[in-house]
Amino acid sequence: MNIRKKTESILVELECKIKYQFCDPTILLHALTHSSYANEMRMQRGDNNERLEFLGDAVLELVTSEYVYKEYKEVTEGDLTKFRASIVCEQTLSACARDIGLGQFLLLGKGEDSSGGRGRDSILSDSMEAVIGAIYLDGGFTNAKEFIHKFILDNLNNKDLFFDSKTILQEIVQNDNHNQKIHYRLVSEDGPDHHKTFTIAVSIGSEEIGCGVGRTKKAAEQEAAYQAIQKLRSKKEKK
């Protein structure tokens, strides 16, 4: 299979995953082109996905603003801003990008690829915004909005990505266990410096109640807190 046919095959596969077929597939290809690849291939300035990322970020913010405005009618402007920020943050967008396997479709430079770029939160979240920008350019606002709802907003309730798990856990413990303190403990860190994986356990008092793994300590703590919340909710449901 030559490079052109291979590229076409990759684009078709991604279109199937995101359930949107581009009128101009070159726009999608542009969205997948990281600056490291563009530099390595001596492409012209602007041929990477950074401009599409800029556009997609604006579309995502508008759609998300409408979503939180309609969903949370009793929430103040300040809290709506916080809610929106938690949705469009790097952690949330990279998680949604992983759900569609976006990393495997990216065009990366050899160095970026070999150092784990396909799994890096910053690259995945930026590329997710670039794909949104590409859909907006190719199919207009309605199609971009549909993509955002389908692959980001509609998943929030299922994953609790919308909320700060550490904050929620703190509130639960304050309400139910006034004298208990939350402790986060680093269990292990594995891998080379540029691609580490951290494992962190969270305890309430002396009881370990959750464990999380992440590419950063912060991400691992959030995952540990999320697991703890799920365990506490399960205990309440059984009572």
Side-chain angles (χ1 to χ4, degrees):
M1 183 181 291
N2 62 38
I3 294 177
R4 182 175 179 178
K5 286 186 177 180
K6 184 178 181 180
T7 301
E8 290 175 353
S9 176
I10 289 172
L11 295 181
V12 169
E13 184 179 351
L14 180 55
E15 285 178 330
C16 290
K17 279 181 173 287
I18 66 176
K19 297 177 173 57
Y20 177 79
Q21 186 173 1
F22 279 77
C23 298
D24 182 1
T26 61
I27 298 177
L28 176 57
L29 185 63
H30 194 172
L32 301 176
T33 304
H34 188 257
S35 58
S36 62
Y37 180 86
N39 292 336
E40 191 174 283
M41 301 301 292
R42 300 179 183 275
M43 298 168 73
Q44 293 183 356
R45 179 181 292 183
D47 282 347
N48 60 47
N49 63 6
E50 291 174 356
R51 284 167 55 84
L52 280 173
E53 174 200 336
F54 165 81
L55 181 60
D57 174 67
V59 176
L60 174 62
E61 184 163 314
L62 176 57
V63 173
T64 304
S65 297
E66 181 188 43
Y67 173 82
V68 297
Y69 178 82
K70 290 183 176 179
E71 282 291 313
Y72 301 91
K73 294 180 173 59
E74 305 301 321
V75 174
T76 64
E77 180 269 343
D79 285 336
L80 287 176
T81 300
K82 292 178 183 177
F83 288 172
R84 182 182 62 198
S86 70
I87 295 175
V88 301
C89 72
E90 182 178 290
Q91 185 180 357
T92 298
L93 293 181
S94 62
C96 293
R98 287 189 181 93
D99 279 351
I100 61 176
L102 186 59
Q104 66 179 302
F105 299 102
L106 300 178
L107 298 177
L108 302 177
K110 291 179 181 177
E112 194 68 65
D113 197 358
S114 63
S115 65
R118 294 185 189 281
R120 191 164 293 130
D121 286 353
S122 58
I123 291 178
L124 288 173
S125 61
D126 289 348
S127 300
M128 193 72 169
E129 289 178 336
V131 169
I132 292 170
I135 294 174
Y136 173 77
L137 275 187
D138 186 78
F141 181 75
T142 299
N143 283 305
K145 181 178 179 179
E146 184 178 339
F147 172 86
I148 292 168
H149 274 272
K150 186 177 296 181
F151 295 104
I152 300 176
L153 300 179
D154 289 351
N155 283 331
L156 296 177
N157 290 331
N158 296 332
K159 300 178 184 176
D160 279 2
L161 293 172
F162 181 67
F163 302 103
D164 181 343
S165 294
K166 289 182 69 176
T167 300
I168 288 182
L169 180 61
Q170 185 69 47
E171 291 172 352
I172 290 173
V173 172
Q174 286 176 347
N175 291 333
D176 297 345
N177 302 285
H178 300 287
N179 297 321
Q180 300 279 22
K181 290 187 177 181
I182 299 173
H183 301 280
Y184 291 91
R185 177 176 62 87
L186 178 63
V187 176
S188 66
E189 53 181 278
D190 304 297
D193 289 340
H194 64 271
H195 197 54
K196 278 189 178 297
T197 298
F198 298 91
T199 301
I200 288 181
V202 60
S203 300
I204 299 175
S206 59
E207 180 186 3
E208 185 175 303
I209 197 166
C211 191
V213 178
R215 294 297 183 189
T216 65
K217 290 180 181 178
K218 183 178 179 181
E221 287 177 353
Q222 289 285 1
E223 178 62 25
Y226 173 74
Q227 296 301 331
I229 291 167
Q230 296 300 97
K231 189 171 182 178
L232 291 174
R233 286 175 176 172
S234 179
K235 283 184 177 180
K236 282 188 175 182
E237 289 172 359
K238 290 178 181 179
K239 288 182 179 181

